[in-house]
Amino acid sequence: MAIRLPGPAKQSLRRSFSTANKASSKYLDVPKGFLAVYVGETEKKRFVVPVSYLNQPSFQDLLSKAEEEFGFDHPMGGLTIPCAEETFLHVTSSLSRF
C-alpha cells in the first residue's frame, strides 16, 4: 500500500538510501537545516527531516519514545525513533502543512 504525501511533504521529508559504497558520503546526504533519523520497529529506514520539526509537540512525542527505549545510546549511531514507519509518515506529513 502506497502512501501519497502532499507536495510540501515531499519537499520537506526526504527518504535517503545509503549503501555500503556510499557509507563515507552519509554525512553529505544531510543538507544544512535538516537531520537524519532512523525509523522503524524492526527494520530501520533513514529519513531526512527539517530541524524545525524538533520544536513541534507531535515530533517531540516521538523523541520521547526514543528516549524511553534507547536513552542516549542509539544503535544505528544516529537518532533512532522506535515507531512504525506509517506513524512517522503521518506525524511528519501533518507537520509539513504548516
Side-chain angles (χ1 to χ4, degrees):
M1 180 172 136
I3 298 174
R4 299 192 73 181
L5 297 175
K10 289 179 187 176
Q11 293 171 354
S12 65
L13 176 65
R14 300 179 202 157
R15 179 165 169 210
S16 63
F17 295 96
S18 58
T19 63
N21 296 340
K22 293 175 138 184
S24 63
S25 67
K26 251 188 211 183
Y27 300 107
L28 301 175
D29 292 15
V30 184
K32 186 175 182 177
F34 289 80
L35 72 140
V37 296
Y38 295 90
V39 178
E41 295 168 328
T42 54
E43 183 182 330
K44 307 291 189 243
K45 294 184 182 175
R46 186 172 185 255
F47 291 86
V48 177
V49 298
V51 294
S52 61
Y53 286 7
L54 295 173
N55 294 325
Q56 302 300 321
S58 56
F59 197 80
Q60 289 175 355
D61 290 341
L62 295 177
L63 294 176
S64 293
K65 288 175 112 178
E67 181 184 16
E68 288 172 16
E69 184 159 331
F70 302 114
F72 293 105
D73 182 29
H74 293 266
M76 299 293 291
L79 182 59
T80 306
I81 300 176
C83 71
E85 184 179 353
E86 295 80 23
T87 303
F88 179 79
L89 291 173
H90 176 73
V91 169
T92 55
S93 67
S94 67
L95 292 176
S96 65
R97 294 180 191 150
F98 295 109

